[in-house]
Amino acid sequence: MIATLLLLVYAMAVATIGPRLLRRSHWQERYPRAGIAAWQALSASTVAAVLLAGLSAAMPVMLVTTTLTEFLHTCAMLLRAQYATPTGALITTAGLGVVLMVSSRIAWCAARTAIEVARARRAQRLSLAVLTREDPATGIRILEHAEAAAYCVPGRGGQVVVTSGALGQLAVDELEAVLAHEWAHLRGRHDVVVATATALRDAFSFVPLFAAAADQVPRLVEMAADDVATRSANRGSLANALLSLGGTPAPVGLLGAGGSTAAARVRRLVAPSHPFGMVRGLAAAAGIAAALVLPLALAAAPALAFSQAYCPVSWTA
Ligand SMILES: [Zn+2]
């Protein structure tokens, strides 16, 4: 039960304290890809800790096996031993119930999000086929509309859509910057990143970490696409383009160049650029790796302590 309690306390701490710490971390805006990875790592770590807590309650003995057959056989033996007593049966049923409930809830919400997004994109593609024309020089789809907007339709054969209003307002360098931003969304599969955070929030909306991640990840995804765009485009050109596009949001389920985060991104683009630095990069990578490994370490720690107590290692030949 020690591992179960440790994992539950860890999951609760990460789910409540984690978002408060990350929201205050201004380094995310300087290196949004690391910020996205941090939110993803904390989310994965919380889910893993809860699942491992359920498994460790169901089978409190650490499984150390070398083959799948041996693993399954040992699992069956442990479950039989647990169900031999009324208390053991109750704890095991509760543990397996948690695992089943959490995993099925996540799978259900992920499938529902994927279906909704696919439906919205299909409708968007059908509309675009009728309402837009392709520019043979750039490969983008041009929509005749007075409002300045640019967005992309992710998925197989991803498309970038720009309105005639945007073409009329943007200078050549600004348009190139916007297109680089949209291609960065498509190449980086940012739609999957956002959809994953949304699905977790929908699955367990009462968890502060998942609610905060679904709020912060889309903002960081936009900044990450800006960073990719400014490798080939001028920062000032992209900032001017964002001012022209204003807060025009992309259609539901799609990623745009403007939107509600545009003002914060303009401020970031016009501010002096500070490289994240190798030391901060390594520290962020170490923190992310620790978040991913800690649940497994907590699950294994009591078993390792037990084996150390009963199987002391001799360091002498
Ligand atoms: Zn965007």
Side-chain angles (χ1 to χ4, degrees):
M1 285 301 289
I2 295 174
T4 306
L5 292 174
L6 282 175
L7 286 162
L8 287 177
V9 169
Y10 171 79
M12 287 177 66
V14 173
T16 53
I17 300 171
R20 290 184 204 169
L21 294 178
L22 267 186
R23 274 182 185 278
R24 291 179 196 161
S25 306
H26 298 296
W27 57 264
Q28 292 181 88
E29 295 201 355
R30 288 171 61 185
Y31 198 47
R33 285 177 63 188
I36 294 167
W39 285 105
Q40 289 175 324
L42 288 189
S43 298
S45 187
T46 303
V47 172
V50 172
L51 292 177
L52 285 170
L55 285 175
S56 64
M59 288 176 286
V61 180
M62 186 69 184
L63 299 178
V64 182
T65 57
T66 53
T67 65
L68 180 61
T69 308
E70 190 184 346
F71 175 82
L72 293 174
H73 177 71
T74 312
C75 276
M77 296 289 288
L78 289 171
L79 282 173
R80 193 179 300 167
Q82 275 289 91
Y83 275 109
T85 63
T87 309
L90 187 66
I91 294 172
T92 299
T93 303
L96 291 179
V98 167
V99 172
L100 193 64
M101 191 275 288
V102 170
S103 51
S104 58
R105 177 74 183 155
I106 291 173
W108 164 256
C109 288
R112 192 177 60 186
T113 302
I115 290 169
E116 285 174 358
V117 168
R119 193 174 293 160
R121 279 184 203 157
R122 195 161 49 243
Q124 187 69 23
R125 283 181 195 280
L126 287 172
S127 301
L128 291 177
V130 177
L131 300 172
T132 66
R133 58 185 166 82
E134 185 174 308
D135 177 27
T138 58
I140 63 173
R141 313 264 338 163
I142 299 171
L143 175 67
E144 290 298 332
H145 199 284
E147 193 169 26
Y151 59 92
C152 61
V153 186
R156 192 178 299 172
Q159 295 173 318
V160 174
V161 182
V162 180
T163 64
S164 53
L167 291 177
Q169 288 189 35
L170 298 176
V172 173
D173 58 328
E174 293 169 356
L175 177 63
E176 286 174 354
V178 167
L179 295 183
H181 173 98
E182 296 304 333
W183 289 119
H185 278 319
L186 293 177
R187 279 194 292 268
R189 291 314 310 260
H190 290 167
D191 57 310
V192 177
V193 175
V194 173
T196 305
T198 304
L200 262 185
R201 189 265 319 273
D202 292 348
F204 304 104
S205 56
F206 59 89
V207 177
L209 173 65
F210 299 156
D215 178 54
Q216 294 295 309
V217 166
R219 186 178 71 93
L220 294 171
V221 153
E222 293 301 330
M223 293 178 181
D226 287 345
D227 285 351
V228 175
T230 51
R231 288 178 197 161
S232 58
N234 183 276
R235 295 175 73 87
S237 301
L238 182 55
N240 287 336
L242 290 177
L243 289 173
S244 296
L245 296 175
T248 309
V252 175
L254 308 179
L255 296 163
S260 59
T261 60
R265 288 160 53 206
V266 169
R267 281 198 298 272
R268 178 174 177 267
L269 286 167
V270 297
S273 171
H274 298 289
F276 195 54
M278 184 177 285
V279 174
R280 287 193 182 88
L282 288 174
I288 289 165
L292 294 173
V293 170
L294 260 173
L296 283 173
L298 290 174
L304 291 175
F306 180 85
S307 65
Q308 286 290 315
Y310 287 90
C311 307
V313 177
S314 172
W315 296 100
T316 55

